[in-house]
Amino acid sequence: MAIDHDRLFKELLQTFFEEFVLLFFPDMHEHIDFNHLSFLSEELFTDVTAGEKYRVDLLAKTKFKGEDGWIIVHVENQAYIQSSFPERMFLYFSRLFEKYRAPIIPIAVFSYDAIRDEPSSFTLSFPFGDVLDFRFFHVELPKQNWRQFIRTDNPVAAALLSKMGYTESERVELKKQFLRMLVRLELDEAKQRLLMGFFETYVKLSDEEEQRLRSEVEQMETKEKERVLELIISYEQKGKIQGREEGREEGRKEGAEQEKRHIAKRMLRKGFDAQTIHELTGLSVAEIEEMKQGGFK
């Protein structure tokens, strides 16, 4: 199943928007009044030239400290390499400004795994003069050293460890430090589940790695040891329950499909045509024709 990167990042940043700004843009954080924070509905833009539609990831509406006017913070998660991305950021900026007539703060989060130098500007110039020099704020997650964030009591830092630069040999240690951060944060269950779900979407340990993780946690000498173990056991149990529920659901679906096929065979024996059976059971005409050729067995 394909990962819905935009949805995951949007849910994370909507829940912890101030923490995101504080983590990566502390100077910006000093000027923003988060008491007035609200989120705007998604904007859908059509690129007529390319024939594609783009949906803005996240729009936050708030104010600068000590000022009355509204500002718009646009955060765009980029999960794949796109050479024309700076141009797209400019188009978003110009269309948002046209609509809201308010200061726009554009931020891009590059979350794909490749390490490369991403441009953060879009320029338009001629030999006889410059016309445009558009710049946006940006975070390149793969370039971040995850170990520099593990002492930070910031929920966004905890979740985004999973998208920072780490090696395969560091995966167990990465999750151990993530769990330690989760324990220190003392979040409610819903927020804790959000962070855990985000992290494990991108860092899924093998059974062998999970065993190594538990062994290392059991050898910890810090006061967090018992709480980290409780966290591991708790999510293992939830995973088993979810697995059983998914299994039962899959069984129900399979049973329903089997029942449809039994009904289709009975209708074939009574002389119903394939199109009528398709309309009544939802089975494809091709599958019904195959049953017919197989003698309804």
Side-chain angles (χ1 to χ4, degrees):
M1 182 182 295
I3 297 173
D4 189 345
H5 303 283
D6 292 341
R7 181 191 62 78
L8 286 169
F9 273 82
K10 181 176 181 179
E11 186 175 9
L12 176 69
L13 298 189
Q14 274 193 333
T15 306
F16 302 108
F17 187 77
E18 182 175 359
E19 291 86 347
F20 164 73
V21 176
L22 176 62
L23 181 66
F24 293 114
F25 307 103
D27 292 340
M28 184 190 302
H29 181 270
E30 286 296 311
H31 293 276
I32 294 178
D33 186 348
F34 292 91
N35 292 321
H36 297 280
L37 181 67
S38 62
F39 294 97
L40 303 175
S41 59
E42 293 180 336
E43 296 285 349
L44 184 65
F45 296 135
T46 301
D47 186 334
V48 178
T49 304
E52 297 178 339
K53 292 184 178 180
Y54 295 104
R55 193 178 300 276
V56 170
D57 285 345
L58 184 65
L59 286 179
K61 179 182 177 183
T62 186
K63 295 182 178 182
F64 284 130
K65 291 179 179 177
E67 296 186 14
D68 293 330
W70 294 100
I71 63 170
I72 306 295
V73 184
H74 165 215
V75 183
E76 192 72 15
N77 171 54
Q78 186 65 7
Y80 61 93
I81 296 172
Q82 182 185 34
S83 59
S84 62
F85 181 75
E87 179 182 348
R88 182 151 65 90
M89 282 295 287
F90 169 68
L91 291 174
Y92 285 162
F93 177 88
S94 60
R95 293 178 184 180
L96 289 171
F97 184 78
E98 179 183 24
K99 178 174 181 176
Y100 293 102
R101 295 294 178 175
I104 311 290
I105 300 175
I107 302 173
V109 179
F110 296 103
S111 62
Y112 50 74
D113 296 334
I115 296 178
R116 48 179 272 149
D117 293 325
E118 275 291 350
S120 57
S121 65
F122 177 68
T123 60
L124 185 60
S125 61
F126 300 96
F128 45 83
D130 298 331
V131 174
L132 175 68
D133 185 9
F134 168 72
R135 299 179 180 275
F136 52 91
F137 299 92
H138 70 292
V139 180
E140 295 180 77
L141 291 177
K143 289 185 177 180
Q144 306 296 320
N145 184 339
W146 66 274
R147 292 183 182 275
Q148 294 180 356
F149 293 86
I150 59 177
R151 303 296 178 194
T152 305
D153 290 335
N154 186 308
V156 175
L160 293 182
L161 290 182
S162 61
K163 296 301 294 177
M164 294 181 184
Y166 62 87
T167 64
E168 284 295 306
S169 63
E170 293 177 317
R171 283 161 49 88
V172 172
E173 182 66 17
L174 182 77
K175 185 168 182 179
K176 182 171 72 175
Q177 295 302 333
F178 163 74
L179 292 171
R180 294 183 69 184
M181 292 178 74
L182 209 56
V183 164
R184 292 199 307 271
L185 287 167
E186 297 184 340
L187 301 170
D188 61 51
E189 186 178 355
K191 291 179 178 178
Q192 190 180 84
R193 190 165 57 247
L194 187 159
L195 297 185
M196 181 68 84
F198 187 101
F199 183 91
E200 293 206 330
T201 297
Y202 297 107
V203 183
K204 189 68 175 175
L205 300 188
S206 65
D207 290 342
E208 181 183 349
E209 288 173 322
E210 288 288 356
Q211 290 175 3
R212 280 176 48 206
L213 171 64
R214 183 182 287 230
S215 176
E216 290 186 16
V217 171
E218 289 174 345
Q219 294 173 30
M220 286 168 51
E221 297 180 356
T222 68
K223 60 182 180 181
E224 298 165 329
K225 171 183 173 179
E226 294 303 322
R227 295 176 65 191
V228 172
L229 279 174
E230 288 175 5
L231 202 57
I232 292 174
I233 293 169
S234 171
Y235 276 90
E236 282 180 350
Q237 291 173 341
K238 288 176 182 176
K240 290 176 181 177
I241 292 171
Q242 182 179 352
R244 287 197 294 269
E245 290 176 347
E246 288 175 353
R248 285 196 290 269
E249 180 62 24
E250 187 64 30
R252 284 193 290 269
K253 288 180 179 177
E254 179 60 28
E257 288 299 311
Q258 288 285 0
E259 181 62 22
K260 287 180 182 179
R261 286 191 281 270
H262 288 318
I263 293 171
K265 289 175 183 178
R266 289 198 295 271
M267 293 179 73
L268 282 169
R269 292 190 187 99
K270 293 182 178 181
F272 285 86
D273 62 88
Q275 184 60 38
T276 301
I277 298 173
H278 159 68
E279 292 173 359
L280 293 174
T281 65
L283 296 176
S284 69
V285 172
E287 184 176 359
I288 296 166
E289 290 291 351
E290 188 177 334
M291 288 180 191
K292 192 174 181 179
Q293 294 172 6
F296 319 154
K297 296 179 181 179

